[in-house]
Amino acid sequence: MKGSQNASKREALTSHKLEYLVDGLKATFSIENYLGGVYYLTPDEIFHENDTYIIQESKNTSQDSLPKLPDIQDGLFKLILFSNLDSLTLNGESVSFIAKLKLTAKNIVGSIVFPDASPLEIESFLENNSKIFKNNQKEIIKKLALEAENNHKLKIEISSN
């Protein structure tokens, strides 16, 4: 338990060159299961928007038109865990929350947020970026849309860096 807590604290102090943080700080929090296990985690960011807290993992590339699949899978794994939390409390008060995966890359035209985007908006986004996305990247984007649609507390944003 102490190792997890110390690792979480170290990660909270680490900032990467391409990591843009909305409030300039990472957050740490603990997850407790019904058997008393406590896990200390550090998402890239937790920020407040309207009446909702957003637990965000961000993946960025300055070299390609979409982050690499293993990076996307890593972010998605963490957010599926976060999005399935029963509750989130801050200073003893229960707060509303969602989990969000933010993917940024060079030369992307426009942005899109799943599951908010309609099928027509998805096709338009893919068409506007047809010169930069390879076929396998287009398939990844369509699968991310499906993932967000099937997980009610998960949002995925794709935009330019």
Side-chain angles (χ1 to χ4, degrees), residues 32-50:
E32 184 174 344
N33 64 27
Y34 293 114
L35 296 175
V38 180
Y39 309 92
Y40 297 91
L41 301 168
T42 308
D44 288 334
E45 298 180 76
I46 297 180
F47 56 95
H48 191 242
E49 192 174 275
N50 301 322

Side-chain angles (χ1 to χ4, degrees), residues 50-106:
N50 301 322
D51 290 334
T52 303
Y53 281 85
I54 299 169
I55 304 170
Q56 182 168 290
E57 281 292 313
S58 300
K59 300 297 179 182
N60 178 59
T61 179
S62 59
Q63 305 297 317
D64 206 354
S65 52
L66 202 61
K68 300 284 185 223
L69 183 58
D71 289 335
I72 295 171
Q73 290 169 329
D74 176 69
L76 201 53
F77 170 76
K78 290 175 187 172
L79 289 177
I80 288 171
L81 173 69
F82 297 152
S83 69
N84 283 293
L85 296 173
D86 280 342
S87 62
L88 182 66
T89 58
L90 178 65
N91 300 325
E93 299 282 325
S94 187
V95 295
S96 176
F97 72 96
I98 61 164
K100 182 178 175 186
L101 177 62
K102 185 173 184 178
L103 304 175
T104 56
K106 67 176 189 171

